[in-house]
Amino acid sequence: MTRVPEIDPFHAITLSALAHRLAAEGRSVIHMEFGQPSTGAPREAIARAHHVLDTDPMGYWESQPLKERIARHYRAQYGVDVAPERIVLTCGASPALVLALSSCFAPGARVAVARPGYVAYRNTLRALHMEPVEIACGAAERFQLTAGAVAALEPAPEGLIVASPANPTGTILSGAALAAIVEVCRARSIRIVSDEIYHGLSFGEPARSVLEFDPEALVVNSFSKYFSMAPWRLGWLVAPEDRVAAARARMGNLFLTPPALSQHAGLVAFECREELEGHLAVYRRNRDLMLEALPGWGVRRIAPPDGAFYLWADIGHLTDDSLAFCEALLRETGVATAPGVDFDPVEGRRFMRFSFAVSTDRVEEAIRRMTPWFAARMEAGA
């Protein structure tokens, strides 16, 4: 009998459930546990959704205009041509990841991932009966993959998941670093799946798409982060021509289509850049506030926060149990965060992740609450 694969829980979800219970009891809670913008969808996108609700009964549908608009985005943003037929609209990035992996790799396939990395990479691979091959990425590597680390894997894996900006670290691969990884993968016949869900959220040089260097790579993206549309569950997969049919077959059978209403709104969201860039300015301010506060808490070792809206912080001077640490922080201050063990099962006991995707006043209040709490922990440790 084939054994059903076991996957680890997503501890941040458990902590978030506790946070909501505390809020229901009347506690003031600040949510910094998820990478979920506190802003809503762009105003014009919401207006379009209201109009569609009033005039269109909708149904199962994949928007050709939206696929064409995404294709134009790749030409304008990255200078690459992507045929609309290669774009598969999905119910967010998570199904896009399932499509990418299941349409390219058979059960038992070895797929390399960075550690620390998004918990769902490891667990989705296991759920699909594939083997995650973790590559340790520490401060010396800016918590990111390197071409040398991929070249050193023996035997070569069938696949590699790349993320830039990355979760939980916010680190970005330079164009040269990404090109070098692509070259190693090409030489070793390693198929690349690139998670580009945080594109648009960069605080310096914009992130490069893997499609600039490897037109055969698969790209996962979503409206959840930059477009501030997480609850709308809309994303896409860019598949190479030889895997489009396989990806479409899986999308239709497993998920049917994305919500029709979300597709109408997503098309309009592409034209709301001024509003969306205003969100980025808020994240930049929030990032600066957190960077100012962390040294006073004894937290001086963090991943370079190049993009996204995360800070990956080493709290090893205070704990070797980040899950218990984050739960205590939540219960005693009302600030919900994510434990490092979600993202790194080896070193994550001494790390935590802060999301600063909330409003600036919430970040300021969180800092006011956490500053004396961390000070008390440091004093107790001393």
Side-chain angles (χ1 to χ4, degrees):
M1 179 190 238
T2 303
R3 183 171 178 270
V4 176
E6 296 292 332
I7 64 173
D8 298 325
F10 196 162
H11 297 293
I13 292 178
T14 303
L15 286 175
S16 186
L18 172 60
H20 284 285
R21 288 199 301 272
L22 294 175
E25 294 169 3
R27 292 280 304 278
S28 171
V29 173
I30 300 173
H31 291 280
M32 302 179 76
E33 73 272 35
F34 289 150
Q36 176 175 288
S38 61
T39 50
R43 290 184 294 273
E44 290 301 317
I46 293 174
R48 174 60 181 168
H50 278 294
H51 174 75
V52 170
L53 281 171
D54 290 336
T55 60
D56 188 342
M58 294 178 284
Y60 298 130
W61 177 59
E62 187 183 36
S63 169
Q64 183 66 21
L66 180 56
K67 291 191 291 183
E68 292 172 357
R69 183 62 184 86
I70 293 171
R72 293 202 306 274
H73 167 71
Y74 279 97
R75 162 51 60 185
Q77 186 68 32
Y78 308 109
V80 297
D81 289 317
V82 174
E85 292 71 29
R86 290 175 53 198
I87 298 167
V88 183
L89 300 179
T90 62
C91 311
S94 297
L97 178 64
V98 171
L99 300 186
L101 295 174
S102 64
S103 63
C104 289
F105 308 114
R110 301 169 67 252
V111 179
V113 296
R115 178 173 57 77
Y118 181 43
V119 60
Y121 302 153
R122 182 173 69 246
N123 286 334
T124 301
L125 286 166
R126 288 176 177 161
L128 293 172
H129 296 268
M130 299 173 191
E131 180 185 348
V133 178
E134 296 187 338
I135 300 175
C137 303
E141 299 83 26
R142 301 182 73 255
F143 297 92
Q144 260 289 7
L145 294 170
T146 65
V150 178
L153 292 174
E154 291 294 346
E158 285 91 334
L160 173 72
I161 298 177
V162 176
S164 173
N167 178 10
T169 61
T171 54
I172 290 178
L173 288 165
S174 68
L178 187 54
I181 290 171
V182 167
E183 187 60 31
V184 169
C185 289
R186 183 177 291 119
R188 306 192 76 196
S189 299
I190 300 171
R191 174 89 74 168
I192 296 177
V193 176
S194 181
D195 183 353
E196 300 183 358
I197 191 173
Y198 295 101
H199 275 218
L201 300 175
S202 302
F203 303 111
E205 290 296 315
R208 305 288 294 273
S209 175
V210 73
L211 294 175
E212 299 176 55
F213 310 99
D214 180 8
E216 298 304 307
L218 293 95
V219 171
V220 171
N221 210 324
S222 167
F223 284 81
S224 293
K225 310 302 181 181
Y226 176 76
F227 293 97
S228 193
M229 295 177 66
W232 297 72
R233 308 317 304 141
L234 181 62
W236 71 86
L237 172 70
V238 180
E241 290 184 4
D242 68 325
R243 305 318 300 160
V244 170
R248 288 200 176 283
R250 284 157 176 78
M251 180 63 198
N253 282 282
L254 297 177
F255 307 106
L256 294 177
T257 66
L261 186 66
S262 300
Q263 295 180 67
H264 284 290
L267 181 60
V268 174
F270 261 107
E271 315 311 323
C272 300
R273 295 289 176 171
E274 183 176 352
E275 182 177 348
L276 296 171
E277 288 298 306
H279 297 169
L280 180 60
V282 171
Y283 303 147
R284 186 187 301 276
R285 173 59 178 155
N286 294 349
R287 168 181 173 266
D288 291 346
L289 289 170
M290 290 294 296
L291 290 175
E292 291 171 9
L294 287 172
W297 305 346
V299 180
R300 294 181 172 83
R301 295 184 297 274
I302 63 170
D306 304 323
F309 28 55
Y310 302 123
L311 288 172
W312 179 245
D314 187 337
I315 52 171
H317 63 297
L318 297 174
T319 187
D320 63 355
D321 185 348
S322 59
L323 180 56
F325 186 89
C326 289
E327 181 174 345
L329 175 65
L330 171 58
R331 290 186 181 278
E332 296 170 23
T333 71
V335 179
T337 56
V341 289
D342 269 340
F343 311 97
D344 185 341
V346 179
E347 300 293 336
R349 297 182 307 277
R350 61 185 183 89
F351 282 86
M352 66 186 298
R353 189 196 72 178
F354 300 91
S355 169
F356 49 84
V358 295
S359 62
T360 298
D361 65 310
R362 294 277 80 192
V363 171
E364 292 171 337
E365 175 60 23
I367 290 171
R368 281 193 290 271
R369 297 182 191 185
M370 289 190 288
T371 296
W373 191 86
F374 271 86
R377 290 277 170 146
M378 287 192 292
E379 183 177 347

